[in-house]
Amino acid sequence: MEETLKTTCLHDSHVALGAQMSPFGGFDMPIQYSGIIDEHNAVRHRCGMFDVSHMGEILITGPGSEEFVGHIFTNDVRGIPAGKILYGMMLYPDGGVVDDLLVYRLADDRWLLVVNASNIGKDFEWIQKQSDGYDVKVENLSDFYGEIALQGPFAEKTALDVLGLDLQDLVFYTFRELPYHAHVEPENAAGNGSAASLEGESIIVSRTGYTGEDGFEFYASFAVIRDIWERLLAAGVTPCGLGCRDTLRFEVGLPLYGHELSAEISPIEAGLGMFVKMDKPEFIGKDAIERQKACGVTRKVVGIELKDKAIPRAGYPVEADGQQIGEVTTGYNSISTGKSVCMALIKKEFSAPGTEVCVRIRKKVFPGTVCKKKFYEKNYKK
Amino acid sequence: MAKIEEGLYYSETHEWVKPEGGEALVGITDYAQHALGNIVYVDMPEEGDEMTKDEEFGAVESVKAASDLVAPVSGEVVGCNAALEDGPGLLNSDPYGNWIVRVKLSDASELDTLMDAAAYAEFCEKL
């Protein structure tokens, strides 16, 4: 039976803009508006905005919350100040990944976990199950929060000019919780008369993103998110779909759950060991990761650059000496560089940069070289 | 509304065929290029390859996905459009002006199984 697709609070706008819509993570989401290449370039060189309201938000509160978040999360949250964000994973005991996520410390005993849309149900259930014996409350706020990502080198100036948000001092991977009304300049308001009704609403603004460019993510109620979207749209900011969100994150080597990370691919195999803090006293999956570190893993996620323009796609076999050594996890003809490149999970003995490998694309085999899994330099403002 | 050119033959998989003597040019329709989005690579067969009606003979790749080219007619490939190697986007900007392969038809009666412009327009209407 087909499951009914959910829609985000900006769905009407996507349809009105003529976006090409497609199911993603249980939601009917915009894949592209003007075209993936246009939108990709807007984010790399100016700025673009994404509806990422499909992302899940799980709130953890209570006196035991710091200890509990540390228990389920690979990064080290001990003693981080309110306003700080950490990236990391939740692991199964065998080291496989439940999900990768951002953890926002809202206050001493309040934490917001931002998780992948496709994993919301699974994550919430997992977190609740682990919370036995901890003095915490776990709430799924995914149906309360909408989210917009404003990304690109002009994001900071756009946030100031259009939304009245002065974010020049907001440090990378930190956030502020702000009253929304304080930033609605009457002359800048969208003119839809909704500003007054948004009085008293608050917004979380973080300097984060998934594009390799400077930028921000806004979390707020659906009404506030709609207001922000309309104001940005009226100011001429390029609406961007999930199509270019993927090409952008891919080029800078950021993983996507289900491709470079999964229940079957550990963070060590994915090359994300720096987000797994082994000096923590404990967390779920620590023993498995310790074993992987001691004995070594047999597979690695690498980058591969092809000599030809043929495009390696997820699932295509990677071969060496006529044998399959792994498969492509994500691949594109890179919009920013024009090269055909991919990330692939392959046997570790072939993972050294410079190793000659091949990708089988339909009936033919195309030669390539193992390289860093970053095909374009990040341009963060840190 | 996708553009449909009179005088061509059309397949349900959105290839067009333009007969020229005992040969035919094969390309993709405006409907197809629009559905695919930015085309960034065309995987073409080689001259001398045989293509068989209703079987895959190459692929057109957008940024996001590869889409098989399905042979609307059978025959030997006698030419590939080299301009698409460096300009795959030509299929977006002028899908009827840019053929993909030239085929020596092995069975001209196969053309009768394809749609004319009016029938193809009606077919697209229902999609």
PDB file of all heavy atoms in Angstrom, chain A residues 276-287:
ATOM      1  N   VAL A 276      33.435  10.959  16.175  1.00  0.00           N
ATOM      2  CA  VAL A 276      33.195   9.900  17.155  1.00  0.00           C
ATOM      3  C   VAL A 276      34.275  10.046  18.220  1.00  0.00           C
ATOM      4  O   VAL A 276      35.450   9.782  17.961  1.00  0.00           O
ATOM      5  CB  VAL A 276      33.270   8.505  16.499  1.00  0.00           C
ATOM      6  CG1 VAL A 276      32.936   7.424  17.510  1.00  0.00           C
ATOM      7  CG2 VAL A 276      32.339   8.432  15.294  1.00  0.00           C
ATOM      8  N   LYS A 277      33.883  10.505  19.408  1.00  0.00           N
ATOM      9  CA  LYS A 277      34.874  10.860  20.433  1.00  0.00           C
ATOM     10  C   LYS A 277      35.129   9.686  21.365  1.00  0.00           C
ATOM     11  O   LYS A 277      34.327   9.378  22.252  1.00  0.00           O
ATOM     12  CB  LYS A 277      34.379  12.083  21.227  1.00  0.00           C
ATOM     13  CG  LYS A 277      34.113  13.307  20.343  1.00  0.00           C
ATOM     14  CD  LYS A 277      35.376  13.812  19.628  1.00  0.00           C
ATOM     15  CE  LYS A 277      35.064  15.079  18.838  1.00  0.00           C
ATOM     16  NZ  LYS A 277      36.141  15.485  17.946  1.00  0.00           N
ATOM     17  N   MET A 278      36.280   9.048  21.145  1.00  0.00           N
ATOM     18  CA  MET A 278      36.586   7.837  21.890  1.00  0.00           C
ATOM     19  C   MET A 278      37.018   8.124  23.332  1.00  0.00           C
ATOM     20  O   MET A 278      37.108   7.210  24.139  1.00  0.00           O
ATOM     21  CB  MET A 278      37.677   7.039  21.163  1.00  0.00           C
ATOM     22  CG  MET A 278      37.302   6.621  19.750  1.00  0.00           C
ATOM     23  SD  MET A 278      35.685   5.821  19.643  1.00  0.00           S
ATOM     24  CE  MET A 278      36.073   4.228  20.397  1.00  0.00           C
ATOM     25  N   ASP A 279      37.289   9.403  23.645  1.00  0.00           N
ATOM     26  CA  ASP A 279      37.670   9.703  25.034  1.00  0.00           C
ATOM     27  C   ASP A 279      36.448   9.912  25.926  1.00  0.00           C
ATOM     28  O   ASP A 279      36.574  10.196  27.117  1.00  0.00           O
ATOM     29  CB  ASP A 279      38.613  10.927  25.091  1.00  0.00           C
ATOM     30  CG  ASP A 279      38.090  12.114  24.305  1.00  0.00           C
ATOM     31  OD1 ASP A 279      37.059  11.961  23.607  1.00  0.00           O
ATOM     32  OD2 ASP A 279      38.703  13.197  24.397  1.00  0.00           O
ATOM     33  N   LYS A 280      35.252   9.780  25.381  1.00  0.00           N
ATOM     34  CA  LYS A 280      34.048   9.795  26.218  1.00  0.00           C
ATOM     35  C   LYS A 280      33.974   8.487  27.004  1.00  0.00           C
ATOM     36  O   LYS A 280      34.363   7.438  26.482  1.00  0.00           O
ATOM     37  CB  LYS A 280      32.788   9.890  25.343  1.00  0.00           C
ATOM     38  CG  LYS A 280      32.536  11.266  24.776  1.00  0.00           C
ATOM     39  CD  LYS A 280      31.483  11.215  23.671  1.00  0.00           C
ATOM     40  CE  LYS A 280      30.142  10.741  24.196  1.00  0.00           C
ATOM     41  NZ  LYS A 280      29.078  10.904  23.160  1.00  0.00           N
ATOM     42  N   PRO A 281      33.445   8.538  28.250  1.00  0.00           N
ATOM     43  CA  PRO A 281      33.382   7.302  29.040  1.00  0.00           C
ATOM     44  C   PRO A 281      32.542   6.218  28.356  1.00  0.00           C
ATOM     45  O   PRO A 281      32.893   5.040  28.399  1.00  0.00           O
ATOM     46  CB  PRO A 281      32.751   7.745  30.370  1.00  0.00           C
ATOM     47  CG  PRO A 281      32.241   9.136  30.164  1.00  0.00           C
ATOM     48  CD  PRO A 281      32.977   9.714  29.000  1.00  0.00           C
ATOM     49  N   GLU A 282      31.443   6.615  27.742  1.00  0.00           N
ATOM     50  CA  GLU A 282      30.621   5.603  27.059  1.00  0.00           C
ATOM     51  C   GLU A 282      29.664   6.255  26.088  1.00  0.00           C
ATOM     52  O   GLU A 282      29.314   7.413  26.223  1.00  0.00           O
ATOM     53  CB  GLU A 282      29.825   4.761  28.076  1.00  0.00           C
ATOM     54  CG  GLU A 282      28.691   5.505  28.772  1.00  0.00           C
ATOM     55  CD  GLU A 282      27.355   5.460  28.013  1.00  0.00           C
ATOM     56  OE1 GLU A 282      27.086   4.467  27.310  1.00  0.00           O
ATOM     57  OE2 GLU A 282      26.589   6.435  28.102  1.00  0.00           O
ATOM     58  N   PHE A 283      29.273   5.546  25.079  1.00  0.00           N
ATOM     59  CA  PHE A 283      28.134   5.870  24.207  1.00  0.00           C
ATOM     60  C   PHE A 283      27.765   4.600  23.455  1.00  0.00           C
ATOM     61  O   PHE A 283      28.602   3.687  23.306  1.00  0.00           O
ATOM     62  CB  PHE A 283      28.449   7.019  23.242  1.00  0.00           C
ATOM     63  CG  PHE A 283      29.626   6.768  22.328  1.00  0.00           C
ATOM     64  CD1 PHE A 283      29.454   6.166  21.084  1.00  0.00           C
ATOM     65  CD2 PHE A 283      30.910   7.132  22.712  1.00  0.00           C
ATOM     66  CE1 PHE A 283      30.535   5.946  20.231  1.00  0.00           C
ATOM     67  CE2 PHE A 283      31.995   6.907  21.872  1.00  0.00           C
ATOM     68  CZ  PHE A 283      31.813   6.308  20.637  1.00  0.00           C
ATOM     69  N   ILE A 284      26.536   4.521  22.986  1.00  0.00           N
ATOM     70  CA  ILE A 284      26.093   3.309  22.296  1.00  0.00           C
ATOM     71  C   ILE A 284      26.942   3.122  21.044  1.00  0.00           C
ATOM     72  O   ILE A 284      27.054   4.035  20.234  1.00  0.00           O
ATOM     73  CB  ILE A 284      24.603   3.399  21.915  1.00  0.00           C
ATOM     74  CG1 ILE A 284      23.740   3.566  23.175  1.00  0.00           C
ATOM     75  CG2 ILE A 284      24.170   2.142  21.143  1.00  0.00           C
ATOM     76  CD1 ILE A 284      22.286   3.873  22.890  1.00  0.00           C
ATOM     77  N   GLY A 285      27.519   1.957  20.907  1.00  0.00           N
ATOM     78  CA  GLY A 285      28.342   1.650  19.732  1.00  0.00           C
ATOM     79  C   GLY A 285      29.823   1.820  19.975  1.00  0.00           C
ATOM     80  O   GLY A 285      30.641   1.513  19.108  1.00  0.00           O
ATOM     81  N   LYS A 286      30.194   2.333  21.168  1.00  0.00           N
ATOM     82  CA  LYS A 286      31.620   2.620  21.419  1.00  0.00           C
ATOM     83  C   LYS A 286      32.493   1.370  21.318  1.00  0.00           C
ATOM     84  O   LYS A 286      33.578   1.418  20.719  1.00  0.00           O
ATOM     85  CB  LYS A 286      31.794   3.275  22.800  1.00  0.00           C
ATOM     86  CG  LYS A 286      33.232   3.740  23.030  1.00  0.00           C
ATOM     87  CD  LYS A 286      33.454   4.364  24.395  1.00  0.00           C
ATOM     88  CE  LYS A 286      34.923   4.751  24.535  1.00  0.00           C
ATOM     89  NZ  LYS A 286      35.272   5.136  25.915  1.00  0.00           N
ATOM     90  N   ASP A 287      32.006   0.244  21.862  1.00  0.00           N
ATOM     91  CA  ASP A 287      32.818  -0.983  21.835  1.00  0.00           C
ATOM     92  C   ASP A 287      33.094  -1.418  20.396  1.00  0.00           C
ATOM     93  O   ASP A 287      34.217  -1.809  20.049  1.00  0.00           O
ATOM     94  CB  ASP A 287      32.101  -2.123  22.572  1.00  0.00           C
ATOM     95  CG  ASP A 287      32.002  -1.853  24.075  1.00  0.00           C
ATOM     96  OD1 ASP A 287      32.652  -0.875  24.524  1.00  0.00           O
ATOM     97  OD2 ASP A 287      31.279  -2.585  24.763  1.00  0.00           O
TER      98      ASP A 287
END
